Amino acid sequence: MFSTEDLNAILSVSRRNNQSDGISGLLLYHEGSILQVLEGDQSRVDACFERIKMDGRHRGLLRLFHGKVDRKVFPNWSMGFAWPNDIKDGADASLKGLDQVVKELPSLHSVDRRSAILIRSFFASHGDLAALLVF
């Protein structure tokens, strides 16, 4: 389990590095589980993943897929992040971007089907978040 301070530290460094490296993506965290999507130049994404693997705070990393996409799903997010419960509670207006991702998962299939399936699976695998999925 990551503390809020741990997550904020990870996000701060990730956003700075990702912006510098031209990497965009998404990080979902809920009850100790993380799903991360990284997009960008293959060599830079690979280097980023290697840094993540070397970070002692992470355990059980699994690369679910690796490959080219026609276009980025999250081109404007150096590392979009929200606590999924915050989306459910509607507590923070700044989460509108991730809220839109959840609402638009069916249309994300046309951009990158694999990412859309993984995001949907992440929400579906946590019973308290599954209600956020509208399809």
Side-chain angles (χ1 to χ4, degrees):
M1 299 292 253
F2 285 101
S3 69
T4 301
E5 293 79 20
D6 288 336
L7 286 169
N8 285 333
I10 289 168
L11 288 167
S12 177
V13 170
S14 295
R15 287 176 173 150
R16 184 183 64 239
N17 289 343
N18 290 353
Q19 188 168 15
S20 173
D21 291 340
I23 295 173
S24 59
L26 168 74
L27 179 73
L28 294 174
Y29 176 85
H30 187 65
E31 296 179 351
S33 297
I34 293 176
L35 172 69
Q36 186 168 25
V37 177
L38 297 171
E39 307 171 313
D41 175 80
Q42 183 173 339
S43 63
R44 290 182 179 204
V45 168
D46 289 344
C48 178
F49 189 70
E50 289 302 314
R51 284 192 304 269
I52 292 168
K53 286 187 348 187
M54 299 304 289
D55 187 326
R57 295 173 290 192
H58 303 299
R59 305 264 190 286
L61 270 78
L62 176 64
R63 180 179 274 174
L64 298 174
F65 70 84
H66 181 247
K68 295 184 180 195
V69 295
D70 292 333
R71 63 180 186 183
K72 290 182 172 187
V73 177
F74 309 104
N76 299 317
W77 293 358
S78 61
M79 187 48 60
F81 174 81
W83 299 89
N85 275 334
D86 291 340
I87 297 170
K88 181 173 61 180
D89 297 339
D92 186 345
S94 70
L95 301 177
K96 186 165 177 61
L98 188 53
D99 188 35
Q100 283 304 111
V101 169
V102 173
K103 288 178 183 173
E104 295 175 11
L105 277 174
S107 65
L108 282 179
H109 278 266
S110 66
V111 177
D112 182 49
R113 182 176 176 270
R114 296 169 298 185
S115 292
I117 290 169
L118 289 173
I119 293 166
R120 185 182 191 288
S121 296
F122 183 87
F123 278 84
S125 69
H126 293 88
D128 58 326
L129 300 179
L132 294 173
L133 299 171
V134 294
F135 64 99

